[in-house]
Amino acid sequence: MTDFIIDPPKPVGLPIVGTDAEFPVRRVYCIGRNYAAHAVEMGHDPDREPPFFFQKNPDNLDPSGEFPYPTQSSDVHHEIEMAVALKSGGTNIAVEDALDHVYGYAVSLDMTRRDLQGEQKKMGRPWEIGKAFERSAPIGPIHPVESVGHLSEGRVELKVNGEVRQEGDLNQMIWKVPEMISYLSNYFELAPGDVIQSGTPSGVGPVEKGDEMIVHVDGLGDLTVRVT
């Protein structure tokens, strides 16, 4: 047994529907501007250009149902996402083989300190200060592929205090799940425990303390998150 000089961090585990076992998280990859309408609302051309990714930290994933409003920001936005959990990985994965590596899917959020992200964009700097803060990725339980199949279409919807803010369909993704997995594997060695957040439709907007978000993806149910 390895003797560490300080206590190692606790592994991050996510709940799985139908079992008390948890899904261990290794890395979190997030694709940017993967729905055409969202690309337009963020001021970008929606044409199919090479995808780009940024990362969140494993412990940013939070299944608690609460989102503490973060410090150093006055403009925090919601972004509904479908998360893809991998059971295996590798390099140079072919598109036609990519879904073989998927364990399951979950409803999730990519909460964003939009003001801080905007400052970083202007200076050509990385986005982590706006994206990878504590508890910035609320997430629901993982639904195994054996239960829900592979999701390529279905309604995506986010309500804030009962009002629909974001809506779209999984079939509107510019880069589909197999393509994302294949592309990432050309630049990183993917592995069991990796999670991919697959992008958000249009309608992103701010939340305030006391708001209630209800996040829905067809086949994966609802995730209720309260801003505290």
Side-chain angles (χ1 to χ4, degrees), residues 10-25:
K10 181 182 177 181
V12 176
L14 300 178
I16 301 169
V17 173
T19 178
D20 292 332
E22 294 188 337
F23 181 87
V25 181

Side-chain angles (χ1 to χ4, degrees), residues 76-122:
V76 179
H77 283 205
H78 54 73
E79 297 189 16
I80 181 176
E81 312 253 345
M82 182 181 74
V84 184
L86 302 187
K87 63 182 179 182
S88 57
T91 58
N92 302 313
I93 297 170
V95 171
E96 56 268 25
D97 298 328
L99 291 181
D100 294 339
H101 299 276
V102 176
Y103 174 78
Y105 301 91
V107 179
S108 67
L109 284 162
D110 168 19
M111 301 301 295
T112 302
R113 293 193 282 206
R114 190 72 73 201
D115 44 2
L116 300 188
Q117 182 196 30
E119 292 172 4
Q120 301 309 302
K121 285 182 176 180
K122 290 177 182 177

Side-chain angles (χ1 to χ4, degrees), residues 15-62:
I16 301 169
V17 173
T19 178
D20 292 332
E22 294 188 337
F23 181 87
V25 181
R26 175 179 175 264
R27 293 180 183 171
V28 182
Y29 299 96
C30 309
I31 189 171
R33 299 194 293 265
N34 198 32
Y35 286 72
H38 176 57
V40 170
E41 77 175 348
M42 300 304 290
H44 297 275
D45 190 325
D47 287 344
R48 186 176 159 103
E49 58 184 18
F52 74 93
F53 292 84
F54 57 92
Q55 291 192 23
K56 286 181 180 276
N57 301 306
D59 62 357
N60 293 160
L61 295 174
D62 180 14

Side-chain angles (χ1 to χ4, degrees), residues 128-144:
E128 275 73 16
I129 197 169
K131 289 284 192 178
F133 55 93
E134 278 64 36
R135 300 175 71 176
S136 60
I139 190 168
I142 295 173
H143 295 251

Side-chain angles (χ1 to χ4, degrees), residues 163-182:
E163 175 190 355
V164 175
R165 293 273 192 91
Q166 290 186 261
E167 55 185 331
D169 195 287
L170 294 174
N171 64 19
Q172 296 168 345
M173 287 184 190
I174 298 171
W175 292 89
K176 311 304 183 186
V177 171
E179 295 173 315
M180 283 186 271
I181 294 170
S182 178

